[in-house]
Amino acid sequence: MVVKNMWKHVVFLIMMMHCCTFMAEVEYFKYKDPERRIGVRIKDLMKRMTLEEKIGQMTQADRSVLSKDDMKNFFIGSVLSVPLPGSVPAEKASPKTWVDMVNDLQSGSLSTRLGIPMIYGIDAVHGHNDVYKSTIFPHNVGLGVTRDPVLIKKIGAATALEVRATGIPYTFAPCIAVCRDPRWGRCYESYSEDPKIVKLMTEIIPGLQGDIPTGSRKGVPFVGGQTKVAACAKHYVGDGGTHLGVDEGNTIIDAKGFFSIHMPAYYDSIIKGVATIMTSYSSWNGVKMHKNRYLVTDYLKNTLKFRGFVISDFQGIDRITHPEHANYTYSIIAGMNAGIDLFMVGFNYKDFITQLTYLVKNKFIPMRRVNDAVKRILRVKFSMGLFENPLADYSMAKYLGCQEHRDLAREAVRKTLVLLKNDKSFKEPLLPLSKKASKILVAGSHADNLGYQCGGWTIQWQGFSGNNITAGTTILSAVKAAVDPRTQVVYNENPNDEFMKASKFDYAIVVVGENPYAEFFGDSSNLTIPEPGPRTIKRVCGSVKCVVVLITGRPVVIQPYVETVDALVAGWLPGTEGQGVTDLLFGDYGFTGKLARTWFKSVDQLPMNVGDPHYDPLYPFGFGLTTKPRKKV
């Protein structure tokens, strides 16, 4: 009897031990339980993390220098691809190749002690622009013309699907700069010189991320499932207002002007649940944004109540000093003290991890600053559902460059074009053009060049030239498809005088503009169209009725040519769907676009924006001629 009771006691103790072990396991995995509140999950995970694991979460490295073993050994929290060779998985990589790469790196993160998934980011700034055969939408300078937040939201949703098609859940978009000087090389990334239009265009954020639930707390990041991506409002703040339009320069303006022009779109983005915000390379009144504690911590985090994470620009803390990387220890301290949470260090991530670890252990950087950063990063990851769905699947590949998205991009092109001139030739204006002309000329360096048509940030950082790098429709191809089969379309990129004298055309379409550029490579003090563009305009339009379509990232010098041309169209950077241009030229749809930027007469007038006392433009803000669609017979 005693033995029997003793065995009962032993069995009871064993059962209790198993029960306690089970409860401990449940407690241990609390941060992995999607039924728990995000705050509880963050707290549970944070208390389990070592300093090394926390600093790993604050590190974003370029894909080209990482393996899955690196992800595991250094606890890397984030990876990015920049549009440079080696950073993408392969030239003309398929969605499967992208997903394989992302998942391989993710497997390294998931094999760590705590299994914290990494977040992969990419610049999808006008569609999924780094990826072969994606839909390339018009750049922001054109989209601002539409003043159509519903369209912008649709573009955001389409972009999210295409980004997810490659297994990526995070994009460094939108750029909500207010470009106040077109000499700035990133002006085409800005929707308008008018902060009200830029604020309106933040509707792309719920397109990318999904609509925030009713009653959500202000500033809390939200990403609505596996068809959406985390967005990034950039570049915080004032990057579009630099002196003389110098990229990464100094925005010299008082607080009233600064907060009324450059801040409103950020406030709106935060209300819409934007997950991340990127600091700018630029300065405000001499203080670099990457070390501006007042604007990043005091204002953005504490006043505006932003609860997502703040990410640096690419090697942004390196540029706190001059020359770059001259005092990396100081740069890390300054960036951390400012309130940056995730550091886009790019290639030299081991040096960053080593130095930040030393600075924290030796109390140069307080642990509370590290904890604030990691909590914010984890909050975004939890809100994205990364812990529940860390690996990408292959089922989204069908969305990349799909016809529905190309149709949407074509609609966007139609709404971005602005008709600046449409003089009467004989009895009627030149536009819309006749589809049944006998013989027409298409000329100009940009008529049959998809790379020029898309601009910078397309497949490669600085863009490209030619038609074999990605898929799309050039304006020349669109013209041939639009006209009557009996119409003879002659293409001559840069016809000479003899050619023009020997040929007889009903009219000519001349497509010229800027060559692709990105960031500081696009800074321009003269804003002229490169040759042979001006020569082509004069030679062709001096010989035959012509419409000139300008493919540019901003207003450029055109006053010398205005009298020569019969019709003039601001085509901006329309992207891959050239049919959107011909839809308007041939009258299938009417022109509706109104300038969201002032078109200057001379660069000597710059900077000049609507409302300025010296306002004397060639074409004022809001200008745009309209046409009615041609009646279908």
PDB file of all heavy atoms in Angstrom, residues 9 20 27 61 79 114 164 187 225 227 242 252 279 314 354 381 394 396-397 417 431 484 523 534 561 571-572:
ATOM      1  N   HIS A   9       2.520   9.227  -5.967  1.00  0.00           N
ATOM      2  CA  HIS A   9       3.179  10.512  -5.718  1.00  0.00           C
ATOM      3  C   HIS A   9       4.199  10.828  -6.811  1.00  0.00           C
ATOM      4  O   HIS A   9       4.304  11.964  -7.293  1.00  0.00           O
ATOM      5  CB  HIS A   9       3.854  10.452  -4.336  1.00  0.00           C
ATOM      6  CG  HIS A   9       4.440  11.766  -3.917  1.00  0.00           C
ATOM      7  ND1 HIS A   9       3.673  12.891  -3.685  1.00  0.00           N
ATOM      8  CD2 HIS A   9       5.743  12.133  -3.691  1.00  0.00           C
ATOM      9  CE1 HIS A   9       4.457  13.896  -3.329  1.00  0.00           C
ATOM     10  NE2 HIS A   9       5.717  13.450  -3.320  1.00  0.00           N
ATOM     11  N   CYS A  20       4.584  21.902 -15.961  1.00  0.00           N
ATOM     12  CA  CYS A  20       5.402  23.116 -15.800  1.00  0.00           C
ATOM     13  C   CYS A  20       6.265  23.359 -17.031  1.00  0.00           C
ATOM     14  O   CYS A  20       6.442  24.483 -17.475  1.00  0.00           O
ATOM     15  CB  CYS A  20       6.278  22.993 -14.551  1.00  0.00           C
ATOM     16  SG  CYS A  20       5.350  23.055 -13.011  1.00  0.00           S
ATOM     17  N   GLU A  27       5.194  29.962 -22.411  1.00  0.00           N
ATOM     18  CA  GLU A  27       5.700  31.277 -22.016  1.00  0.00           C
ATOM     19  C   GLU A  27       6.867  31.683 -22.908  1.00  0.00           C
ATOM     20  O   GLU A  27       6.976  32.809 -23.345  1.00  0.00           O
ATOM     21  CB  GLU A  27       6.133  31.226 -20.552  1.00  0.00           C
ATOM     22  CG  GLU A  27       6.725  32.527 -20.023  1.00  0.00           C
ATOM     23  CD  GLU A  27       5.698  33.632 -19.941  1.00  0.00           C
ATOM     24  OE1 GLU A  27       4.481  33.339 -19.940  1.00  0.00           O
ATOM     25  OE2 GLU A  27       6.102  34.804 -19.884  1.00  0.00           O
ATOM     26  N   ALA A  61      22.241  45.517 -44.320  1.00  0.00           N
ATOM     27  CA  ALA A  61      23.391  45.330 -45.202  1.00  0.00           C
ATOM     28  C   ALA A  61      22.932  44.994 -46.608  1.00  0.00           C
ATOM     29  O   ALA A  61      21.820  44.501 -46.825  1.00  0.00           O
ATOM     30  CB  ALA A  61      24.284  44.213 -44.660  1.00  0.00           C
ATOM     31  N   VAL A  79      18.019  43.454 -44.932  1.00  0.00           N
ATOM     32  CA  VAL A  79      18.833  43.356 -46.147  1.00  0.00           C
ATOM     33  C   VAL A  79      18.215  44.256 -47.202  1.00  0.00           C
ATOM     34  O   VAL A  79      17.001  44.480 -47.212  1.00  0.00           O
ATOM     35  CB  VAL A  79      18.879  41.894 -46.655  1.00  0.00           C
ATOM     36  CG1 VAL A  79      19.773  41.768 -47.893  1.00  0.00           C
ATOM     37  CG2 VAL A  79      19.365  40.951 -45.561  1.00  0.00           C
ATOM     38  N   LEU A 114      16.726  32.880 -31.633  1.00  0.00           N
ATOM     39  CA  LEU A 114      15.377  33.386 -31.427  1.00  0.00           C
ATOM     40  C   LEU A 114      14.533  33.368 -32.694  1.00  0.00           C
ATOM     41  O   LEU A 114      13.329  33.599 -32.649  1.00  0.00           O
ATOM     42  CB  LEU A 114      15.439  34.817 -30.871  1.00  0.00           C
ATOM     43  CG  LEU A 114      16.075  34.958 -29.475  1.00  0.00           C
ATOM     44  CD1 LEU A 114      16.278  36.431 -29.122  1.00  0.00           C
ATOM     45  CD2 LEU A 114      15.235  34.258 -28.427  1.00  0.00           C
ATOM     46  N   ARG A 164       5.881  42.104 -54.010  1.00  0.00           N
ATOM     47  CA  ARG A 164       5.653  40.809 -53.360  1.00  0.00           C
ATOM     48  C   ARG A 164       5.914  39.644 -54.321  1.00  0.00           C
ATOM     49  O   ARG A 164       6.271  38.545 -53.898  1.00  0.00           O
ATOM     50  CB  ARG A 164       4.229  40.734 -52.833  1.00  0.00           C
ATOM     51  CG  ARG A 164       4.007  41.489 -51.528  1.00  0.00           C
ATOM     52  CD  ARG A 164       4.606  40.753 -50.346  1.00  0.00           C
ATOM     53  NE  ARG A 164       4.193  41.339 -49.080  1.00  0.00           N
ATOM     54  CZ  ARG A 164       4.496  40.813 -47.887  1.00  0.00           C
ATOM     55  NH1 ARG A 164       5.193  39.697 -47.816  1.00  0.00           N
ATOM     56  NH2 ARG A 164       4.110  41.407 -46.777  1.00  0.00           N
ATOM     57  N   CYS A 187      14.439  66.063 -58.710  1.00  0.00           N
ATOM     58  CA  CYS A 187      13.159  66.768 -58.789  1.00  0.00           C
ATOM     59  C   CYS A 187      12.058  65.881 -59.353  1.00  0.00           C
ATOM     60  O   CYS A 187      10.887  66.019 -58.979  1.00  0.00           O
ATOM     61  CB  CYS A 187      13.304  68.044 -59.625  1.00  0.00           C
ATOM     62  SG  CYS A 187      11.992  69.247 -59.332  1.00  0.00           S
ATOM     63  N   GLY A 225      -1.344  42.603 -44.584  1.00  0.00           N
ATOM     64  CA  GLY A 225      -1.315  41.254 -45.126  1.00  0.00           C
ATOM     65  C   GLY A 225      -0.270  41.011 -46.196  1.00  0.00           C
ATOM     66  O   GLY A 225       0.555  41.877 -46.510  1.00  0.00           O
ATOM     67  N   THR A 227      -0.352  40.686 -49.402  1.00  0.00           N
ATOM     68  CA  THR A 227      -0.390  41.353 -50.707  1.00  0.00           C
ATOM     69  C   THR A 227       0.058  42.807 -50.599  1.00  0.00           C
ATOM     70  O   THR A 227       0.026  43.535 -51.588  1.00  0.00           O
ATOM     71  CB  THR A 227      -1.809  41.309 -51.297  1.00  0.00           C
ATOM     72  OG1 THR A 227      -2.709  42.011 -50.429  1.00  0.00           O
ATOM     73  CG2 THR A 227      -2.281  39.880 -51.470  1.00  0.00           C
ATOM     74  N   THR A 242      16.821  72.551 -51.056  1.00  0.00           N
ATOM     75  CA  THR A 242      18.212  72.919 -50.862  1.00  0.00           C
ATOM     76  C   THR A 242      18.611  74.137 -51.699  1.00  0.00           C
ATOM     77  O   THR A 242      18.055  74.386 -52.765  1.00  0.00           O
ATOM     78  CB  THR A 242      19.155  71.747 -51.189  1.00  0.00           C
ATOM     79  OG1 THR A 242      18.949  71.358 -52.552  1.00  0.00           O
ATOM     80  CG2 THR A 242      18.900  70.574 -50.270  1.00  0.00           C
ATOM     81  N   ILE A 252      18.006  76.348 -46.630  1.00  0.00           N
ATOM     82  CA  ILE A 252      18.129  77.566 -45.824  1.00  0.00           C
ATOM     83  C   ILE A 252      16.773  78.254 -45.787  1.00  0.00           C
ATOM     84  O   ILE A 252      16.340  78.854 -46.772  1.00  0.00           O
ATOM     85  CB  ILE A 252      19.207  78.495 -46.411  1.00  0.00           C
ATOM     86  CG1 ILE A 252      20.541  77.752 -46.569  1.00  0.00           C
ATOM     87  CG2 ILE A 252      19.377  79.736 -45.543  1.00  0.00           C
ATOM     88  CD1 ILE A 252      21.578  78.500 -47.394  1.00  0.00           C
ATOM     89  N   THR A 279      15.643  59.214 -43.181  1.00  0.00           N
ATOM     90  CA  THR A 279      16.279  60.520 -43.021  1.00  0.00           C
ATOM     91  C   THR A 279      16.993  60.934 -44.304  1.00  0.00           C
ATOM     92  O   THR A 279      17.433  60.108 -45.094  1.00  0.00           O
ATOM     93  CB  THR A 279      17.289  60.510 -41.861  1.00  0.00           C
ATOM     94  OG1 THR A 279      18.039  59.287 -41.895  1.00  0.00           O
ATOM     95  CG2 THR A 279      16.589  60.634 -40.530  1.00  0.00           C
ATOM     96  N   PHE A 314      21.251  55.423 -47.557  1.00  0.00           N
ATOM     97  CA  PHE A 314      22.375  54.523 -47.829  1.00  0.00           C
ATOM     98  C   PHE A 314      23.688  55.165 -47.373  1.00  0.00           C
ATOM     99  O   PHE A 314      24.078  56.227 -47.865  1.00  0.00           O
ATOM    100  CB  PHE A 314      22.439  54.199 -49.320  1.00  0.00           C
ATOM    101  CG  PHE A 314      23.405  53.113 -49.675  1.00  0.00           C
ATOM    102  CD1 PHE A 314      23.051  51.782 -49.530  1.00  0.00           C
ATOM    103  CD2 PHE A 314      24.661  53.419 -50.151  1.00  0.00           C
ATOM    104  CE1 PHE A 314      23.941  50.771 -49.865  1.00  0.00           C
ATOM    105  CE2 PHE A 314      25.554  52.423 -50.482  1.00  0.00           C
ATOM    106  CZ  PHE A 314      25.211  51.085 -50.340  1.00  0.00           C
ATOM    107  N   THR A 354      30.753  46.143 -34.984  1.00  0.00           N
ATOM    108  CA  THR A 354      31.863  46.152 -34.014  1.00  0.00           C
ATOM    109  C   THR A 354      31.918  47.469 -33.245  1.00  0.00           C
ATOM    110  O   THR A 354      32.026  47.484 -32.010  1.00  0.00           O
ATOM    111  CB  THR A 354      33.196  45.908 -34.737  1.00  0.00           C
ATOM    112  OG1 THR A 354      33.159  44.633 -35.375  1.00  0.00           O
ATOM    113  CG2 THR A 354      34.367  45.943 -33.756  1.00  0.00           C
ATOM    114  N   LYS A 381       7.977  44.707 -37.839  1.00  0.00           N
ATOM    115  CA  LYS A 381       8.017  43.306 -38.271  1.00  0.00           C
ATOM    116  C   LYS A 381       6.776  42.542 -37.803  1.00  0.00           C
ATOM    117  O   LYS A 381       6.209  41.743 -38.556  1.00  0.00           O
ATOM    118  CB  LYS A 381       9.296  42.636 -37.762  1.00  0.00           C
ATOM    119  CG  LYS A 381      10.558  43.126 -38.454  1.00  0.00           C
ATOM    120  CD  LYS A 381      11.801  42.366 -38.015  1.00  0.00           C
ATOM    121  CE  LYS A 381      13.024  42.800 -38.811  1.00  0.00           C
ATOM    122  NZ  LYS A 381      14.234  42.035 -38.483  1.00  0.00           N
ATOM    123  N   TYR A 394       5.794  31.391 -54.268  1.00  0.00           N
ATOM    124  CA  TYR A 394       5.963  31.681 -55.685  1.00  0.00           C
ATOM    125  C   TYR A 394       4.649  32.039 -56.381  1.00  0.00           C
ATOM    126  O   TYR A 394       4.642  32.311 -57.575  1.00  0.00           O
ATOM    127  CB  TYR A 394       6.606  30.474 -56.379  1.00  0.00           C
ATOM    128  CG  TYR A 394       7.943  30.101 -55.778  1.00  0.00           C
ATOM    129  CD1 TYR A 394       8.034  29.146 -54.771  1.00  0.00           C
ATOM    130  CD2 TYR A 394       9.106  30.735 -56.190  1.00  0.00           C
ATOM    131  CE1 TYR A 394       9.261  28.820 -54.200  1.00  0.00           C
ATOM    132  CE2 TYR A 394      10.339  30.421 -55.630  1.00  0.00           C
ATOM    133  CZ  TYR A 394      10.409  29.450 -54.628  1.00  0.00           C
ATOM    134  OH  TYR A 394      11.616  29.150 -54.062  1.00  0.00           O
ATOM    135  N   MET A 396       2.811  34.638 -56.215  1.00  0.00           N
ATOM    136  CA  MET A 396       2.592  36.043 -56.561  1.00  0.00           C
ATOM    137  C   MET A 396       3.253  36.427 -57.888  1.00  0.00           C
ATOM    138  O   MET A 396       3.054  37.532 -58.386  1.00  0.00           O
ATOM    139  CB  MET A 396       3.138  36.947 -55.454  1.00  0.00           C
ATOM    140  CG  MET A 396       2.573  36.684 -54.069  1.00  0.00           C
ATOM    141  SD  MET A 396       0.907  37.310 -53.890  1.00  0.00           S
ATOM    142  CE  MET A 396       1.230  39.068 -53.753  1.00  0.00           C
ATOM    143  N   ALA A 397       4.037  35.513 -58.460  1.00  0.00           N
ATOM    144  CA  ALA A 397       4.801  35.845 -59.678  1.00  0.00           C
ATOM    145  C   ALA A 397       3.916  36.337 -60.810  1.00  0.00           C
ATOM    146  O   ALA A 397       4.346  37.138 -61.648  1.00  0.00           O
ATOM    147  CB  ALA A 397       5.610  34.629 -60.126  1.00  0.00           C
ATOM    148  N   LEU A 417       0.263  63.732 -68.854  1.00  0.00           N
ATOM    149  CA  LEU A 417       0.732  64.621 -69.919  1.00  0.00           C
ATOM    150  C   LEU A 417       0.057  65.986 -69.843  1.00  0.00           C
ATOM    151  O   LEU A 417      -1.129  66.092 -69.519  1.00  0.00           O
ATOM    152  CB  LEU A 417       0.463  63.993 -71.286  1.00  0.00           C
ATOM    153  CG  LEU A 417       1.581  63.118 -71.858  1.00  0.00           C
ATOM    154  CD1 LEU A 417       1.961  61.995 -70.920  1.00  0.00           C
ATOM    155  CD2 LEU A 417       1.185  62.549 -73.221  1.00  0.00           C
ATOM    156  N   LEU A 431      -3.339  69.132 -82.864  1.00  0.00           N
ATOM    157  CA  LEU A 431      -3.813  67.985 -82.071  1.00  0.00           C
ATOM    158  C   LEU A 431      -5.322  68.035 -81.916  1.00  0.00           C
ATOM    159  O   LEU A 431      -5.894  69.106 -81.701  1.00  0.00           O
ATOM    160  CB  LEU A 431      -3.144  67.978 -80.695  1.00  0.00           C
ATOM    161  CG  LEU A 431      -1.614  67.835 -80.676  1.00  0.00           C
ATOM    162  CD1 LEU A 431      -1.120  67.797 -79.249  1.00  0.00           C
ATOM    163  CD2 LEU A 431      -1.149  66.601 -81.424  1.00  0.00           C
ATOM    164  N   ASP A 484      -3.601  54.303 -88.912  1.00  0.00           N
ATOM    165  CA  ASP A 484      -4.226  53.439 -89.905  1.00  0.00           C
ATOM    166  C   ASP A 484      -3.142  52.552 -90.553  1.00  0.00           C
ATOM    167  O   ASP A 484      -2.023  53.019 -90.796  1.00  0.00           O
ATOM    168  CB  ASP A 484      -4.888  54.313 -90.981  1.00  0.00           C
ATOM    169  CG  ASP A 484      -5.718  53.504 -91.947  1.00  0.00           C
ATOM    170  OD1 ASP A 484      -5.130  52.940 -92.884  1.00  0.00           O
ATOM    171  OD2 ASP A 484      -6.954  53.446 -91.747  1.00  0.00           O
ATOM    172  N   ASP A 523      21.918  66.884 -61.058  1.00  0.00           N
ATOM    173  CA  ASP A 523      21.969  68.317 -60.753  1.00  0.00           C
ATOM    174  C   ASP A 523      22.385  69.078 -62.007  1.00  0.00           C
ATOM    175  O   ASP A 523      23.325  68.697 -62.705  1.00  0.00           O
ATOM    176  CB  ASP A 523      22.981  68.597 -59.634  1.00  0.00           C
ATOM    177  CG  ASP A 523      22.464  68.198 -58.264  1.00  0.00           C
ATOM    178  OD1 ASP A 523      21.328  67.707 -58.161  1.00  0.00           O
ATOM    179  OD2 ASP A 523      23.202  68.388 -57.281  1.00  0.00           O
ATOM    180  N   PRO A 534      17.702  69.918 -79.495  1.00  0.00           N
ATOM    181  CA  PRO A 534      17.348  71.232 -80.040  1.00  0.00           C
ATOM    182  C   PRO A 534      17.511  71.317 -81.557  1.00  0.00           C
ATOM    183  O   PRO A 534      16.684  71.920 -82.252  1.00  0.00           O
ATOM    184  CB  PRO A 534      18.320  72.174 -79.326  1.00  0.00           C
ATOM    185  CG  PRO A 534      18.640  71.484 -78.043  1.00  0.00           C
ATOM    186  CD  PRO A 534      18.669  70.025 -78.398  1.00  0.00           C
ATOM    187  N   TYR A 561      12.422  77.532 -78.509  1.00  0.00           N
ATOM    188  CA  TYR A 561      11.852  76.667 -79.541  1.00  0.00           C
ATOM    189  C   TYR A 561      10.337  76.776 -79.646  1.00  0.00           C
ATOM    190  O   TYR A 561       9.749  76.201 -80.572  1.00  0.00           O
ATOM    191  CB  TYR A 561      12.215  75.199 -79.262  1.00  0.00           C
ATOM    192  CG  TYR A 561      13.586  75.017 -78.675  1.00  0.00           C
ATOM    193  CD1 TYR A 561      13.761  74.502 -77.396  1.00  0.00           C
ATOM    194  CD2 TYR A 561      14.729  75.382 -79.393  1.00  0.00           C
ATOM    195  CE1 TYR A 561      15.030  74.348 -76.848  1.00  0.00           C
ATOM    196  CE2 TYR A 561      15.993  75.233 -78.855  1.00  0.00           C
ATOM    197  CZ  TYR A 561      16.143  74.714 -77.574  1.00  0.00           C
ATOM    198  OH  TYR A 561      17.392  74.584 -77.036  1.00  0.00           O
ATOM    199  N   GLY A 571       5.757  65.489 -71.581  1.00  0.00           N
ATOM    200  CA  GLY A 571       5.520  64.058 -71.403  1.00  0.00           C
ATOM    201  C   GLY A 571       6.149  63.495 -70.144  1.00  0.00           C
ATOM    202  O   GLY A 571       5.895  62.346 -69.787  1.00  0.00           O
ATOM    203  N   TRP A 572       7.017  64.283 -69.477  1.00  0.00           N
ATOM    204  CA  TRP A 572       7.727  63.870 -68.262  1.00  0.00           C
ATOM    205  C   TRP A 572       8.474  62.561 -68.510  1.00  0.00           C
ATOM    206  O   TRP A 572       9.078  62.392 -69.552  1.00  0.00           O
ATOM    207  CB  TRP A 572       6.767  63.782 -67.075  1.00  0.00           C
ATOM    208  CG  TRP A 572       5.864  64.983 -66.936  1.00  0.00           C
ATOM    209  CD1 TRP A 572       4.505  65.023 -67.119  1.00  0.00           C
ATOM    210  CD2 TRP A 572       6.263  66.343 -66.663  1.00  0.00           C
ATOM    211  NE1 TRP A 572       4.033  66.293 -66.938  1.00  0.00           N
ATOM    212  CE2 TRP A 572       5.079  67.128 -66.654  1.00  0.00           C
ATOM    213  CE3 TRP A 572       7.481  66.963 -66.404  1.00  0.00           C
ATOM    214  CZ2 TRP A 572       5.098  68.499 -66.408  1.00  0.00           C
ATOM    215  CZ3 TRP A 572       7.501  68.324 -66.146  1.00  0.00           C
ATOM    216  CH2 TRP A 572       6.328  69.084 -66.156  1.00  0.00           C
TER     217      TRP A 572
END
